[in-house]
Amino acid sequence: TDRPQLHPVRPNSYLGTGTHTHTMPTVDALLPLQGPGTLELLVAGIGGVAVGTYVVVNSPGPLLKARDIATNEETPAAEVASEDGVVEVEGTAQPLEETLQSPHTDTECLAYDYRKKRIEHHDTGVDDFDDHGADHDDHRTVHQLAHDHATVPFRVEDESGSVPVDPTGANLDIEQDEHDGSGQIVHEESRIDIGETVHVWGQRVDGADAVGDSSVAVGDGPEVDYRIGTGSEMRAVAQKGVQGLAGFVVGLLMIVGGLAALGIVIGVL
């Protein structure tokens, strides 16, 4: 009697026998058609969208601060003692006990911020002419060589009287007074000069937190984003508004650029 012919079962057949091997996909497998810079575009795209989203989400902060300053009623200096919490004072800055000498111009002042920088120009070697025929083929690199800043307590004086201000912990928004240099070295100095108009957004403090002989002062506190700036309330509102709008626009452009980069990568795939 003839025996039936037997056929071996191949591994990985429909019977499910044999050994199965699983291999993790590589970057080359994920980007099989990648060209030069595709991986870099992927990273740039993801980074642009992530950072841009963060900037856009945080841009309302300065805008809300501008709204708060614009809608808040200013407190006369002589009435700060009768207020609680956040106070807004505008007037001229006057000495309380001590003054400072600015490091670059040796100007008597109440606060200063000084920076010394070296600017290096680099020729890119690529001609970039504008409509007037000027060549803009160089880029510059700025190196900060020195930075010094200092503040002392002072008084803000208006028609009603004056109130001491402790600048410790304040965000200083001081307009630049000096910008000069020769060659590659640049000196930048910003100050609060005696008699200059200042705007203070702070909190009433008293007792041990006050300065000078007064029992009440304007200072930092948990209820306020403490700010001292040169100029009027209008400048403070404009500065915060521009900061918020600029952040929103820059963040939006980063998101658009990131999505464009990701679109190129998807097109390559």
Side-chain angles (χ1 to χ4, degrees), residues 93-268:
Q94 301 294 340
L96 182 63
E97 294 176 348
E98 301 176 318
T99 60
L100 300 167
Q101 299 296 130
S102 64
H104 180 55
T105 61
D106 198 33
T107 302
E108 187 178 19
C109 60
L110 303 169
Y112 67 78
D113 186 279
Y114 166 70
R115 299 171 190 268
K116 181 180 179 181
K117 300 178 179 179
R118 183 177 74 248
I119 301 178
E120 297 178 352
H121 293 271
H122 309 278
D123 192 336
T124 62
V126 178
D127 292 332
D128 182 16
F129 295 96
D130 60 18
D131 294 337
H132 304 284
D135 190 4
H136 300 281
D137 63 344
D138 68 322
H139 292 268
R140 69 175 195 169
T141 303
V142 179
H143 302 275
Q144 183 164 286
L145 305 178
H147 180 211
D148 185 20
H149 60 94
T151 60
V152 292
F154 59 91
R155 295 182 297 114
V156 172
E157 186 176 273
D158 61 15
E159 295 179 353
S160 70
S162 67
V163 62
V165 174
D166 181 1
T168 304
N171 297 312
L172 297 181
D173 178 22
I174 309 175
E175 292 185 279
Q176 192 172 97
D177 296 290
E178 305 292 338
H179 182 101
D180 57 61
S182 58
Q184 295 181 327
I185 304 301
V186 173
H187 302 273
E188 298 176 351
E189 186 175 273
S190 304
R191 303 183 305 270
I192 297 180
D193 291 331
I194 297 173
E196 186 170 13
T197 299
V198 292
H199 174 267
V200 181
W201 175 268
Q203 183 173 329
R204 171 196 151 173
V205 295
D206 48 28
D209 295 324
V211 292
D213 296 330
S214 175
S215 59
V216 176
V218 179
D220 197 4
E223 300 181 29
V224 67
D225 181 13
Y226 192 21
R227 176 193 177 276
I228 299 175
T230 51
S232 64
E233 177 191 66
M234 185 63 67
R235 178 181 179 272
V237 172
Q239 189 262 347
K240 287 297 179 183
V242 169
Q243 181 182 343
L245 289 175
F248 178 80
V249 172
V250 170
L252 194 60
L253 290 175
M254 294 180 71
I255 293 174
V256 172
L259 291 175
L262 292 176
I264 294 174
V265 174
I266 293 173
V268 171

Side-chain angles (χ1 to χ4, degrees), residues 79-94:
E79 298 180 14
V80 170
S82 61
E83 296 289 331
D84 290 321
V86 176
V87 291
E88 180 184 0
V89 181
E90 181 179 325
T92 58
Q94 301 294 340

